[in-house]
Amino acid sequence: MVCKKCLEELTATNIYPSDHRYCKTCGIKHTAYLSERRQTLTSLREMNLESKIIQTKYLIKCAVMEFGLDKVYISYSGGKDSTVLSHIAKSMYPDILHLFANTTNEYPETLEHIQWEKEENATNIITVIPKDIHGEVWTFKKVVERYGYPMFSKRVSNAIRTYQHALSERTKANAQGYIDRNFKKYEKYKELPISDKCCDKLKKEPLRRKAKELGLECAILGILASESYQREKDWLEYGCNVFHERKDNQSKPLSFWTNDDILEYIKQFNVRISKLYEMGYTRNGCMYCGFGVHLESDGCNRYQKLKETHPVRYGYFIQNFGDLMADFEINVTKKKSCSLC
């Protein structure tokens, strides 16, 4: 192994203990850099909404200037964050292309909102259906049966999948060590069918293929750095606009916004969002996704909520995945009262 920055060979004496990708010298510098970036992110988050809108428009404009309007697209989920992004982007470029990945695991209200955007709000949207390399449609159930269930978090699921599919004893031992260091309390689930491949198969890969087919070169995403540890870490490393540095060119012009900013924008500009939010939901992700469900209040988690709001889809969920939820120790029956339910 060599240092990610200076390419010096890493040894037991020179490796940076907090991040084994770096030697001590580069590791110390990188830690200082991340500290400065955190201060910058804090400052950006403290700006007022008007300033954030101006900055977001600038970032979108940079993407368009770099690649051309016909080479960029809004990666649209139908959720409130990407709807705010769409509203801002359309104020600048009314015909900007949107790609929506129908994961086959969407809330009906999300699909209704997509239809409204297309037919009544003049939004230029192409719906992408997930298919494998043979042209067969992927479904959530098919992905779970092939790879495993998306549970706990992407990082935990990835660690467990890596452990389960290690091609050598050394790799397996390294994966076990990673789980021991970072996810000790999830160690008891490591033999269960858990995987982080769902999003790849149902969303990321289909969008990449469609983008390539259309000759698109840059995705504009409505994600907030505050949404997860990984998204904040990604912003600290790369910032909002990441061009020509990684496999995919991306602009994330809402990264420094907060959820309160999103809600304020929606109210101030009277932006129509999915009716799902009127039903007590705070997210519009895939209906059966398990990422983060263990952190939700028992009696009011997304599956218990689903039972109240979408009983038919809840019945399908229980029939196909109820036994897995028992293995994951996730309560999917409503036992406590909840103001949202």
Side-chain angles (χ1 to χ4, degrees), residues 155-287:
R155 294 177 68 218
V156 172
S157 294
N158 177 267
I160 290 175
R161 178 176 63 85
T162 302
Y163 168 82
Q164 292 177 352
H165 297 280
L167 298 179
S168 69
E169 289 302 317
R170 181 177 179 181
T171 301
K172 193 162 192 171
N174 288 339
Q176 178 66 66
Y178 182 78
I179 292 172
D180 289 341
R181 291 192 303 273
N182 299 281
F183 308 116
K184 186 65 177 177
K185 69 178 181 179
Y186 301 104
E187 202 269 346
K188 61 182 177 179
Y189 305 110
K190 69 180 182 182
E191 302 297 343
L192 295 177
I194 294 175
S195 170
D196 62 328
K197 295 293 285 184
C198 193
C199 190
D200 289 340
K201 296 300 179 183
L202 297 182
K203 188 172 184 177
K204 292 181 180 179
E205 290 176 10
L207 285 175
R208 286 193 188 107
R209 282 196 293 270
K210 177 56 73 171
K212 184 177 181 181
E213 174 190 325
L214 297 175
L216 305 173
E217 297 179 9
C218 181
I220 305 175
L221 302 97
I223 59 177
L224 314 185
S226 59
E227 288 180 301
S228 71
Y229 165 85
Q230 190 58 46
R231 287 181 175 178
E232 179 162 316
K233 180 181 177 183
D234 190 66
W235 188 91
L236 295 176
E237 293 275 3
Y238 298 101
C240 293
N241 284 353
V242 190
F243 304 151
H244 314 299
E245 290 187 48
R246 300 191 293 187
K247 182 179 180 180
D248 297 321
N249 297 308
Q250 293 184 340
S251 173
K252 292 169 283 188
L254 297 183
S255 288
F256 50 91
W257 287 46
T258 66
N259 187 61
D260 286 343
D261 294 325
I262 295 293
L263 296 177
E264 183 181 348
Y265 185 96
I266 290 169
K267 182 178 181 180
Q268 181 173 328
F269 293 94
N270 194 29
V271 178
R272 176 165 170 165
I273 58 176
S274 168
K275 293 179 180 178
L276 193 67
Y277 297 102
E278 299 174 11
M279 303 167 70
Y281 287 89
T282 57
R283 55 181 292 279
N284 83 312
C286 296
M287 275 190 297

Side-chain angles (χ1 to χ4, degrees), residues 80-146:
K80 67 181 190 307
D81 299 346
S82 65
T83 298
V84 166
L85 172 63
S86 170
H87 190 270
I88 294 173
K90 285 177 63 181
S91 72
M92 305 165 66
Y93 310 103
D95 295 324
I96 190 169
L97 179 63
H98 296 54
L99 295 185
F100 166 68
N102 183 347
T103 63
T104 74
N105 190 17
E106 303 292 331
Y107 288 96
E109 290 77 15
T110 299
L111 299 178
E112 289 171 7
H113 184 72
I114 296 297
Q115 198 68 17
W116 176 83
E117 286 282 5
K118 283 183 178 181
E119 296 181 357
E120 299 185 44
N121 201 34
T123 303
N124 181 16
I125 300 180
I126 293 176
T127 296
V128 180
I129 302 298
K131 297 182 180 180
D132 62 22
I133 58 174
H134 304 294
E136 297 182 9
V137 175
W138 277 109
T139 64
F140 180 75
K141 182 179 179 182
K142 183 177 178 180
V143 172
V144 170
E145 290 174 345
R146 180 78 62 86

